[in-house]
């Protein structure tokens, strides 16, 4: 997952919750990778707007293959 700097914790927790909900835990622990990107000059980074349900929605909607449209790279602005 990738999110803004102050949402790393909630997204990490949400990934573990999603794995538990979907019975995808193959061991008694999980260490999901959540990358961060500082976007404080673009957004209200201190607003804590990213919630667990946003991560669940992203995980539930994830698909393989080519991206139909849009830009996924944070560095592309």
């Amino acid at each position: 997952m990738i999110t803004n700097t102050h949402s790393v914790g909630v997204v990490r927790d949400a990934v573990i919750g999603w794995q538990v909900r979907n019975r995808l835990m193959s061991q008694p622990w999980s260490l999901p990778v959540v990358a961060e990107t500082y976007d404080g000059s673009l957004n209200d980074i201190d607003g804590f707007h990213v919630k667990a349900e946003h991560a669940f929605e992203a995980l539930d909607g994830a698909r393989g293959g080519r991206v139909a449209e849009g830009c996924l790279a944070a560095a592309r602005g």
Side-chain angles (χ1 to χ4, degrees):
M1 304 292 279
I2 186 168
T3 189
N4 73 15
T5 305
H6 291 173
S7 298
V8 170
V10 70
V11 171
R12 183 206 70 103
D13 291 349
V15 169
I16 294 171
W18 184 85
Q19 290 174 321
V20 169
R21 182 186 78 184
N22 290 290
R23 301 175 193 256
L24 297 173
M25 301 289 287
S26 59
Q27 67 245 356
W29 56 272
S30 179
L31 186 59
V33 174
V34 180
E36 66 85 22
T37 182
Y38 176 73
D39 62 350
S41 58
L42 299 172
N43 297 299
D44 174 16
I45 192 171
D46 295 325
F48 301 102
H49 302 289
V50 177
K51 308 292 184 206
E53 56 265 22
H54 299 121
F56 292 157
E57 182 179 336
L59 288 163
D60 288 336
R63 301 289 179 266
R66 294 180 51 93
V67 176
E69 64 179 73
C71 176
L72 297 178
R76 291 194 180 185

